[in-house]
Amino acid sequence: MGTLRTGALTRRRVGTRAADLEYAVIDVETTGLDPDEGARLVEIAVVRVRGDGKLVEEFSTLVDPRAPVSGQEFHGIGEGDVIGAPRVAQIVPRIARLLSGAVVVGHNLDFEERFLAAELVPAGLPRGQSGLCTLRALRSQLDLPRYSLPRATHLLNGSWPTGQHTALGDARACAKLLVEMIGNARGELRYTGPAPRFLQGEVPEGEPVRWKPRSTSSPSGLDPLSAWIAPWRPVELDPALCGGAFGSSERAAAEKAARRDSRLRERLAAAAVVTGGIAATAAGGLLLRMAGVRGRAS
């Protein structure tokens, strides 16, 4: 079983109303891009939010990577900043509580999942929670020139996210993007995928930990949600085809597959109507014949 069991957002009438779920939006800052090459967590944040935009809880802390801190040009975290910060094993109980009963969300969730698998799962975080990638969801539902978190935010609501390259700032921006997407969708967005797992009791609470947040939590919740004037796709793409760099060739292939699948669904729907009509006609004829037999018998 993978660390996360990833679902998707769709405008089709399947799954669960996205507005009815809770989401644990996660972001990490790291010393590099690949944990297999020695990259480690230096900051983590989780923003727990409802699908209707109500903020439930925020959490962030720096993390002692127990290794040299590199990547300062991206995240601005130095060696001295992580002194006294908790180690990975100490943050697992809090992270498990925040993820419990929620869909785990990230913008390019594959990146966060690699670090969850490399560091938090070995320290006791359970596998198998449901997940949702907002990057894949945006690519699936909207036709934009760029899909990075800051650029997509600016294209869709006209503002740039604050606190970029801090875990809490990016998690807030992703949470706001998600709930705006749910609220602005053409038709109702629904979540298709495994139901969220409740993790209470699976990870015992540890000793009290002194957290070391780099950013302060917002007592007023997320920034006001914006209305989008957005180019929603007439036919949504398969999110499985919307990962990676998503260059022109990958985009064209995903759009071609969506058109093909749409035509197939239309043919199946038409065949179902015809089949249903034939069945109804046959059933009606049978009823008439039975009525005639009863009439003659009486």
Side-chain angles (χ1 to χ4, degrees):
M1 179 184 293
T3 303
L4 299 174
R5 301 174 298 162
T6 305
L9 293 179
T10 182
R11 284 171 276 165
R12 299 173 195 159
R13 300 295 296 176
V14 295
T16 305
R17 288 182 72 246
D20 293 340
L21 295 170
E22 287 196 9
Y23 302 89
V25 184
I26 189 168
D27 190 84
V28 297
E29 299 297 328
T30 64
T31 63
L33 299 178
D34 190 347
D36 290 338
E37 296 179 359
R40 293 292 178 263
L41 290 174
V42 289
E43 188 180 28
I44 189 168
V46 177
V47 174
R48 179 89 176 221
V49 66
R50 294 192 329 213
D52 62 5
K54 174 69 174 179
L55 179 65
V56 178
E57 186 176 356
E58 287 186 335
F59 167 76
S60 70
T61 186
L62 292 165
V63 179
D64 183 351
R66 315 295 282 181
V69 177
S70 54
Q72 290 94 337
E73 65 273 24
F74 301 108
H75 50 60
I77 300 169
E79 296 279 357
D81 296 318
V82 299
I83 295 174
R87 299 184 298 277
V88 165
Q90 294 176 294
I91 69 173
V92 166
R94 182 70 180 272
I95 298 299
R97 183 172 66 78
L98 287 162
L99 271 50
S100 179
V103 178
V104 181
V105 177
H107 201 73
N108 190 16
L109 187 60
D110 294 346
F111 181 79
E112 276 77 19
E113 184 173 13
R114 286 200 297 271
F115 284 89
L116 293 179
E119 297 202 62
L120 272 71
V121 168
L125 183 71
R127 296 177 179 269
Q129 186 59 295
S130 57
L132 173 68
C133 178
T134 51
L135 178 62
R136 291 177 183 264
L138 277 181
R139 289 170 171 175
S140 170
Q141 297 293 339
L142 291 102
D143 187 9
L144 301 177
R146 302 290 294 273
Y147 292 94
S148 69
L149 183 56
R151 290 184 178 275
T153 298
H154 185 258
L155 285 167
L156 292 167
N157 65 31
S159 63
W160 294 97
T162 59
Q164 292 183 47
H165 299 300
T166 68
L168 186 55
D170 287 343
R172 281 178 184 159
C174 183
K176 186 171 184 288
L177 191 72
L178 171 66
V179 296
E180 286 184 348
M181 187 177 182
I182 293 170
N184 283 285
R186 285 185 181 175
E188 185 178 72
L189 275 183
R190 303 177 76 87
Y191 170 77
T192 61
R197 289 181 57 203
F198 288 87
L199 306 178
Q200 284 90 338
E202 293 196 32
V203 181
E205 291 292 335
E207 295 296 322
V209 179
R210 182 180 178 183
W211 308 116
K212 194 171 185 182
R214 185 164 53 141
S215 308
T216 57
S217 295
S218 172
S220 59
L222 299 179
D223 292 337
L225 304 183
S226 303
W228 290 359
I229 302 175
W232 290 85
R233 295 185 182 278
V235 180
E236 61 188 38
L237 308 185
D238 181 353
L241 302 177
C242 295
F246 203 59
S248 57
S249 59
E250 292 87 357
R251 186 188 296 235
E255 291 170 348
K256 181 179 179 180
R259 291 192 295 269
R260 182 185 64 241
D261 293 346
S262 178
R263 290 193 297 269
L264 176 59
R265 285 194 298 272
E266 289 171 357
R267 289 197 294 269
L268 291 174
V273 169
V274 171
T275 303
I278 293 172
T281 300
L286 177 60
L287 289 173
L288 287 173
R289 289 194 296 275
M290 291 174 64
V293 170
R294 285 196 296 269
R296 288 193 298 273
S298 62

